[in-house]
Amino acid sequence: MDCIFCKIANREIDTEVIFENAEILAFEDQNPQAPTHILVIPKKHISNIQEMAIEDQQQLLPEIFQAIQQIADEKDLGKGYRVVNNCKHNGGQTVPHLHFHLLGGRVMQWPPG
Ligand code: AMP
Ligand code: ZN
Protein backbone atom coordinates (compact mmCIF):
# COMPACT_ATOMS: atom_id res chain seq x y z
CA MET A 1 0.00 0.00 0.00
CA ASP A 2 1.31 3.41 -0.93
CA CYS A 3 0.77 5.18 2.40
CA ILE A 4 3.29 7.81 3.49
CA PHE A 5 2.65 7.28 7.21
CA CYS A 6 2.97 3.49 6.86
CA LYS A 7 6.34 4.15 5.23
CA ILE A 8 7.34 6.36 8.16
CA ALA A 9 6.09 3.71 10.63
CA ASN A 10 8.05 1.00 8.75
CA ARG A 11 11.14 3.25 8.64
CA GLU A 12 11.18 3.18 4.86
CA ILE A 13 11.35 6.97 5.19
CA ASP A 14 13.93 8.36 7.61
CA THR A 15 12.14 10.43 10.24
CA GLU A 16 13.18 11.69 13.64
CA VAL A 17 11.10 9.82 16.18
CA ILE A 18 9.65 11.76 19.11
CA PHE A 19 7.91 8.81 20.79
CA GLU A 20 7.63 5.13 20.02
CA ASN A 21 6.25 1.97 21.53
CA ALA A 22 5.08 -1.29 19.97
CA GLU A 23 1.87 0.23 18.60
CA ILE A 24 2.41 3.99 18.35
CA LEU A 25 4.82 6.40 16.66
CA ALA A 26 5.14 10.17 16.95
CA PHE A 27 7.15 12.53 14.74
CA GLU A 28 7.29 16.20 13.79
CA ASP A 29 4.83 17.50 11.21
CA GLN A 30 6.77 18.57 8.09
CA ASN A 31 4.66 21.74 7.80
CA PRO A 32 4.35 22.94 11.40
CA GLN A 33 1.39 25.14 12.32
CA ALA A 34 2.68 25.95 15.80
CA PRO A 35 6.08 25.98 17.57
CA THR A 36 5.34 22.37 18.57
CA HIS A 37 3.46 20.33 15.97
CA ILE A 38 3.74 16.58 16.37
CA LEU A 39 1.78 13.80 14.70
CA VAL A 40 0.86 10.73 16.74
CA ILE A 41 -0.09 7.68 14.69
CA PRO A 42 -0.83 4.00 15.18
CA LYS A 43 1.83 1.95 13.35
CA LYS A 44 -0.97 -0.21 11.98
CA HIS A 45 -2.74 1.26 8.96
CA ILE A 46 -6.19 2.57 9.87
CA SER A 47 -7.60 5.18 7.48
CA ASN A 48 -9.52 7.32 9.94
CA ILE A 49 -11.59 7.22 13.13
CA GLN A 50 -14.61 5.87 11.26
CA GLU A 51 -12.56 2.87 10.15
CA MET A 52 -11.45 1.92 13.66
CA ALA A 53 -12.60 -1.50 14.82
CA ILE A 54 -13.88 -1.63 18.39
CA GLU A 55 -10.71 -3.51 19.45
CA ASP A 56 -8.57 -0.75 17.96
CA GLN A 57 -10.60 1.87 19.76
CA GLN A 58 -10.14 0.06 23.03
CA GLN A 59 -6.41 -0.66 22.61
CA LEU A 60 -5.00 2.15 20.52
CA LEU A 61 -6.88 5.26 21.62
CA PRO A 62 -5.72 5.02 25.26
CA GLU A 63 -2.16 4.47 24.05
CA ILE A 64 -2.36 7.44 21.71
CA PHE A 65 -3.55 9.70 24.53
CA GLN A 66 -0.92 8.35 26.93
CA ALA A 67 1.69 9.19 24.28
CA ILE A 68 0.22 12.68 23.86
CA GLN A 69 0.35 13.25 27.62
CA GLN A 70 3.97 12.08 27.82
CA ILE A 71 5.08 14.14 24.81
CA ALA A 72 3.30 17.23 26.21
CA ASP A 73 5.30 16.83 29.42
CA GLU A 74 8.57 16.34 27.54
CA LYS A 75 7.89 19.31 25.24
CA ASP A 76 7.06 21.59 28.17
CA LEU A 77 3.47 22.24 27.11
CA GLY A 78 2.30 22.84 30.68
CA LYS A 79 0.43 25.99 29.61
CA GLY A 80 -1.78 23.90 27.35
CA TYR A 81 -2.03 22.50 23.88
CA ARG A 82 -4.49 21.35 21.25
CA VAL A 83 -5.15 17.85 19.93
CA VAL A 84 -6.72 17.70 16.46
CA ASN A 85 -8.01 14.83 14.39
CA ASN A 86 -9.18 15.63 10.88
CA CYS A 87 -11.56 12.91 9.69
CA LYS A 88 -12.10 12.39 5.96
CA HIS A 89 -12.69 15.05 3.32
CA ASN A 90 -14.97 17.42 5.18
CA GLY A 91 -12.79 17.21 8.26
CA GLY A 92 -9.77 18.36 6.25
CA GLN A 93 -7.91 15.05 6.29
CA THR A 94 -5.19 14.94 3.64
CA VAL A 95 -3.25 11.82 4.71
CA PRO A 96 -5.54 8.78 4.92
CA HIS A 97 -3.71 7.12 7.83
CA LEU A 98 -5.16 7.92 11.26
CA HIS A 99 -3.19 10.62 13.04
CA PHE A 100 -3.62 13.08 15.86
CA HIS A 101 -2.00 16.51 15.68
CA LEU A 102 -0.47 17.76 18.93
CA LEU A 103 -0.11 21.54 18.64
CA GLY A 104 1.42 23.77 21.27
CA GLY A 105 3.79 26.57 22.12
CA ARG A 106 1.34 29.36 21.31
CA VAL A 107 -2.23 30.37 22.19
CA MET A 108 -4.70 28.69 19.84
CA GLN A 109 -7.63 30.43 18.19
CA TRP A 110 -11.23 29.26 18.22
CA PRO A 111 -13.24 28.41 16.18
CA PRO A 112 -10.98 26.53 13.75
CA GLY A 113 -11.59 27.20 10.07
P1 AMP B 1 -4.23 16.07 7.85
O1 AMP B 1 -4.52 17.26 6.98
O2 AMP B 1 -4.95 16.07 9.17
O3 AMP B 1 -4.41 14.77 7.10
O4 AMP B 1 -2.71 16.19 8.25
C1 AMP B 1 -1.67 15.64 7.53
C2 AMP B 1 -0.41 16.25 8.06
O5 AMP B 1 0.67 15.43 7.68
C3 AMP B 1 -0.12 17.66 7.52
O6 AMP B 1 -0.03 18.54 8.62
C4 AMP B 1 1.21 17.49 6.79
O7 AMP B 1 2.05 18.60 6.98
C5 AMP B 1 1.78 16.25 7.45
N1 AMP B 1 2.68 15.46 6.63
C6 AMP B 1 2.46 14.96 5.40
N2 AMP B 1 3.52 14.23 4.98
C7 AMP B 1 4.41 14.25 5.99
C8 AMP B 1 5.71 13.68 6.19
N3 AMP B 1 6.30 12.92 5.24
N4 AMP B 1 6.35 13.91 7.36
C9 AMP B 1 5.78 14.67 8.31
N5 AMP B 1 4.56 15.22 8.20
C10 AMP B 1 3.89 15.03 7.06
ZN1 ZN C 1 -0.88 3.83 6.41
Side-chain angles (χ1 to χ4, degrees):
M1 193 194 304
D2 197 28
C3 170
I4 187 89
F5 287 0
C6 279
K7 287 181 179 164
I8 289 174
N10 297 336
R11 306 301 175 80
E12 289 170 54
I13 295 175
D14 194 30
T15 305
E16 194 190 335
V17 171
I18 304 287
F19 174 96
E20 181 174 22
N21 66 22
E23 314 288 346
I24 306 295
L25 191 75
F27 50 94
E28 306 260 8
D29 196 293
Q30 71 178 10
N31 183 21
Q33 302 301 313
T36 299
H37 186 171
I38 290 164
L39 300 175
V40 183
I41 70 168
K43 290 181 174 176
K44 169 182 175 178
H45 183 86
I46 301 168
S47 298
N48 57 61
I49 286 184
Q50 292 308 110
E51 298 297 323
M52 291 192 94
I54 186 77
E55 301 78 31
D56 292 329
Q57 293 177 30
Q58 290 169 344
Q59 289 170 19
L60 293 176
L61 289 177
E63 290 202 43
I64 286 168
F65 279 87
Q66 285 165 23
I68 286 169
Q69 193 183 57
Q70 186 175 319
I71 296 164
D73 279 340
E74 288 169 3
K75 294 288 179 182
D76 240 3
L77 300 182
K79 286 184 174 173
Y81 55 85
R82 181 169 290 173
V83 177
V84 173
N85 173 259
N86 297 325
C87 183
K88 302 172 80 173
H89 176 265
N90 276 11
Q93 184 175 9
T94 59
V95 177
H97 180 128
L98 181 67
H99 53 280
F100 291 79
H101 300 253
L102 169 58
L103 298 142
R106 65 170 171 84
V107 175
M108 301 294 155
Q109 305 300 310
W110 192 263

Coordinates of all heavy atoms in Angstrom, one line a residue, residues 71-111:
I71 N 4.4 13.2 25.7 CA 5.1 14.1 24.8 C 4.8 15.6 25.3 O 5.8 16.4 25.3 CB 4.6 14.0 23.4 CG1 5.0 12.6 22.8 CG2 5.2 15.1 22.5 CD1 4.2 12.2 21.6
A72 N 3.6 15.9 25.7 CA 3.3 17.2 26.2 C 4.2 17.6 27.4 O 4.7 18.7 27.5 CB 1.8 17.3 26.6
D73 N 4.4 16.6 28.3 CA 5.3 16.8 29.4 C 6.7 17.1 28.9 O 7.4 18.0 29.4 CB 5.3 15.6 30.3 CG 4.1 15.6 31.3 OD1 3.5 16.7 31.5 OD2 3.8 14.5 31.8
E74 N 7.2 16.2 28.0 CA 8.6 16.3 27.5 C 8.8 17.6 26.8 O 9.9 18.2 26.8 CB 8.9 15.1 26.7 CG 9.1 13.8 27.5 CD 9.1 12.6 26.6 OE1 9.1 12.7 25.4 OE2 9.2 11.5 27.2
K75 N 7.8 18.1 26.1 CA 7.9 19.3 25.2 C 7.5 20.6 26.0 O 7.4 21.7 25.4 CB 7.0 19.2 24.0 CG 7.5 18.1 23.0 CD 8.8 18.5 22.3 CE 9.3 17.4 21.4 NZ 10.5 17.7 20.8
D76 N 7.3 20.4 27.3 CA 7.1 21.6 28.2 C 5.8 22.3 27.8 O 5.8 23.6 27.7 CB 8.3 22.5 28.1 CG 8.9 22.8 29.4 OD1 8.5 22.1 30.4 OD2 9.9 23.6 29.5
L77 N 4.7 21.6 27.5 CA 3.5 22.2 27.1 C 2.5 22.4 28.3 O 1.3 22.3 28.2 CB 2.8 21.4 26.0 CG 3.6 21.2 24.7 CD1 2.8 20.4 23.7 CD2 4.1 22.6 24.1
G78 N 3.1 22.7 29.4 CA 2.3 22.8 30.7 C 1.3 23.9 30.6 O 0.3 23.9 31.4
K79 N 1.4 24.9 29.7 CA 0.4 26.0 29.6 C -0.8 25.6 28.8 O -1.8 26.3 28.7 CB 1.1 27.2 29.0 CG 2.0 28.0 29.9 CD 2.5 29.3 29.2 CE 3.3 30.1 30.1 NZ 3.9 31.3 29.4
G80 N -0.7 24.4 28.1 CA -1.8 23.9 27.3 C -1.4 23.6 25.9 O -0.3 24.0 25.5
Y81 N -2.3 22.9 25.3 CA -2.0 22.5 23.9 C -3.3 22.1 23.2 O -4.4 22.1 23.9 CB -1.0 21.3 23.8 CG -1.4 20.1 24.7 CD1 -2.3 19.2 24.2 CD2 -0.9 20.0 26.0 CE1 -2.6 18.0 24.9 CE2 -1.3 18.9 26.7 CZ -2.1 17.9 26.2 OH -2.5 16.8 26.9
R82 N -3.3 21.8 22.0 CA -4.5 21.4 21.2 C -4.2 20.0 20.6 O -3.1 19.8 20.0 CB -4.9 22.4 20.2 CG -6.2 22.0 19.4 CD -6.7 23.1 18.6 NE -7.3 24.2 19.5 CZ -7.7 25.4 19.0 NH1 -7.6 25.7 17.7 NH2 -8.2 26.2 19.8
V83 N -5.2 19.1 20.6 CA -5.1 17.8 19.9 C -6.2 17.9 18.8 O -7.4 18.3 19.1 CB -5.4 16.7 20.9 CG1 -5.4 15.4 20.1 CG2 -4.4 16.6 22.0
V84 N -5.8 17.6 17.6 CA -6.7 17.7 16.5 C -6.7 16.4 15.7 O -5.6 15.8 15.5 CB -6.3 18.8 15.5 CG1 -7.1 18.8 14.2 CG2 -6.4 20.2 16.2
N85 N -7.9 15.9 15.4 CA -8.0 14.8 14.4 C -8.9 15.3 13.3 O -10.1 15.7 13.5 CB -8.6 13.6 15.0 CG -8.9 12.5 14.0 OD1 -10.0 12.3 13.5 ND2 -7.8 11.8 13.5
N86 N -8.4 15.3 12.1 CA -9.2 15.6 10.9 C -9.7 14.3 10.3 O -8.9 13.4 10.0 CB -8.3 16.4 9.9 CG -7.9 17.7 10.4 OD1 -8.6 18.4 11.2 ND2 -6.7 18.1 10.0
C87 N -11.0 14.2 10.1 CA -11.6 12.9 9.7 C -12.2 13.1 8.3 O -13.2 13.8 8.2 CB -12.6 12.4 10.7 SG -13.3 10.8 10.2
K88 N -11.6 12.4 7.3 CA -12.1 12.4 6.0 C -12.2 13.8 5.3 O -11.7 14.8 5.9 CB -13.4 11.6 5.9 CG -13.3 10.2 6.5 CD -14.6 9.4 6.6 CE -15.1 8.9 5.3 NZ -16.3 8.0 5.6
H89 N -12.8 13.8 4.2 CA -12.7 15.0 3.3 C -13.2 16.3 4.0 O -12.5 17.3 4.1 CB -13.5 14.8 2.0 CG -13.5 16.0 1.1 ND1 -14.6 16.9 1.1 CD2 -12.6 16.5 0.3 CE1 -14.3 17.9 0.3 NE2 -13.2 17.7 -0.3
N90 N -14.4 16.2 4.6 CA -15.0 17.4 5.2 C -14.3 17.8 6.5 O -14.3 19.0 6.9 CB -16.5 17.2 5.5 CG -17.3 17.5 4.3 OD1 -16.8 17.6 3.1 ND2 -18.6 17.6 4.4
G91 N -13.6 16.9 7.1 CA -12.8 17.2 8.3 C -11.4 17.8 7.9 O -10.7 18.2 8.8
G92 N -11.1 17.8 6.7 CA -9.8 18.4 6.2 C -8.6 17.4 6.3 O -7.5 17.7 6.2
Q93 N -9.0 16.1 6.3 CA -7.9 15.1 6.3 C -7.3 15.0 4.9 O -7.9 14.8 3.9 CB -8.5 13.7 6.7 CG -7.5 12.6 6.8 CD -8.0 11.3 7.3 OE1 -9.3 11.1 7.4 NE2 -7.2 10.3 7.6
T94 N -5.9 15.0 4.9 CA -5.2 14.9 3.6 C -4.4 13.7 3.6 O -4.0 13.2 2.5 CB -4.3 16.2 3.4 OG1 -3.3 16.2 4.5 CG2 -5.1 17.4 3.4
V95 N -4.0 13.1 4.7 CA -3.2 11.8 4.7 C -4.2 10.7 5.3 O -4.5 10.8 6.5 CB -1.9 11.9 5.5 CG1 -1.2 10.6 5.6 CG2 -1.0 13.0 4.9
P96 N -4.5 9.8 4.5 CA -5.5 8.8 4.9 C -5.0 7.6 5.8 O -5.1 6.5 5.5 CB -6.1 8.3 3.6 CG -5.0 8.4 2.6 CD -4.2 9.6 3.0
H97 N -4.2 8.0 6.8 CA -3.7 7.1 7.8 C -4.0 7.9 9.1 O -3.5 9.0 9.3 CB -2.2 6.8 7.6 CG -1.6 5.9 8.6 ND1 -0.9 4.8 8.2 CD2 -1.5 5.9 10.0 CE1 -0.4 4.2 9.3 NE2 -0.8 4.9 10.4
L98 N -4.7 7.3 10.0 CA -5.2 7.9 11.3 C -4.0 8.6 12.0 O -2.9 8.0 12.2 CB -5.8 6.9 12.2 CG -6.3 7.3 13.5 CD1 -7.5 8.2 13.4 CD2 -6.6 6.2 14.5
H99 N -4.2 9.9 12.3 CA -3.2 10.6 13.0 C -3.8 11.7 13.9 O -4.9 12.3 13.5 CB -2.2 11.2 12.1 CG -2.8 12.1 11.0 ND1 -3.3 11.5 9.9 CD2 -2.9 13.4 10.9 CE1 -3.8 12.5 9.1 NE2 -3.5 13.7 9.7
F100 N -3.2 12.0 15.0 CA -3.6 13.1 15.9 C -2.5 14.1 15.9 O -1.4 13.8 16.1 CB -3.9 12.5 17.3 CG -5.1 11.7 17.3 CD1 -5.0 10.3 16.9 CD2 -6.3 12.1 17.8 CE1 -6.2 9.5 16.9 CE2 -7.4 11.3 17.8 CZ -7.4 10.0 17.4
H101 N -2.9 15.4 15.6 CA -2.0 16.5 15.7 C -1.9 17.0 17.1 O -2.9 17.2 17.8 CB -2.5 17.7 14.9 CG -2.7 17.4 13.4 ND1 -1.9 17.9 12.4 CD2 -3.7 16.7 12.7 CE1 -2.3 17.6 11.2 NE2 -3.4 16.8 11.4
L102 N -0.7 17.1 17.6 CA -0.5 17.8 18.9 C 0.2 19.1 18.7 O 1.3 19.2 18.1 CB 0.4 16.9 19.8 CG 1.0 17.5 21.1 CD1 -0.1 18.0 22.0 CD2 1.9 16.5 21.8
L103 N -0.6 20.2 18.9 CA -0.1 21.5 18.6 C 0.1 22.3 19.9 O -0.8 22.3 20.8 CB -1.2 22.2 17.8 CG -1.4 21.6 16.4 CD1 -2.9 21.7 16.0 CD2 -0.6 22.3 15.3
G104 N 1.2 23.0 20.1 CA 1.4 23.8 21.3 C 2.5 24.8 21.1 O 3.1 25.0 20.0
G105 N 2.8 25.5 22.2 CA 3.8 26.6 22.1 C 3.3 27.9 21.7 O 4.0 28.9 21.6
R106 N 2.0 28.0 21.5 CA 1.3 29.4 21.3 C -0.1 29.2 21.7 O -0.6 28.1 21.9 CB 1.4 29.8 19.9 CG 0.7 28.9 18.9 CD 0.6 29.6 17.5 NE 0.1 28.8 16.5 CZ -1.2 28.6 16.2 NH1 -2.1 29.2 16.9 NH2 -1.6 27.8 15.2
V107 N -0.8 30.4 21.9 CA -2.2 30.4 22.2 C -3.0 30.1 20.9 O -2.8 30.7 19.9 CB -2.7 31.7 22.8 CG1 -4.2 31.8 23.0 CG2 -1.9 32.0 24.1
M108 N -3.9 29.1 21.0 CA -4.7 28.7 19.8 C -5.9 29.6 19.7 O -6.5 30.1 20.7 CB -5.1 27.2 20.0 CG -4.0 26.3 20.2 SD -3.0 26.2 18.7 CE -1.4 25.6 19.4
Q109 N -6.4 29.7 18.5 CA -7.6 30.4 18.2 C -8.8 29.5 18.2 O -8.7 28.3 17.9 CB -7.5 31.2 16.8 CG -6.3 32.1 16.7 CD -6.3 33.2 17.8 OE1 -7.3 33.9 17.9 NE2 -5.2 33.3 18.5
W110 N -10.0 30.0 18.3 CA -11.2 29.3 18.2 C -12.3 30.2 17.7 O -12.4 31.3 18.1 CB -11.7 28.7 19.6 CG -12.7 27.7 19.5 CD1 -14.1 27.9 19.6 CD2 -12.6 26.3 19.1 NE1 -14.8 26.7 19.4 CE2 -13.9 25.7 19.1 CE3 -11.5 25.5 18.9 CZ2 -14.1 24.4 18.8 CZ3 -11.7 24.2 18.6 CH2 -13.0 23.6 18.5
P111 N -13.2 29.8 16.7 CA -13.2 28.4 16.2 C -12.2 28.2 15.1 O -11.7 29.1 14.5 CB -14.6 28.4 15.6 CG -14.9 29.8 15.1 CD -14.2 30.6 16.2

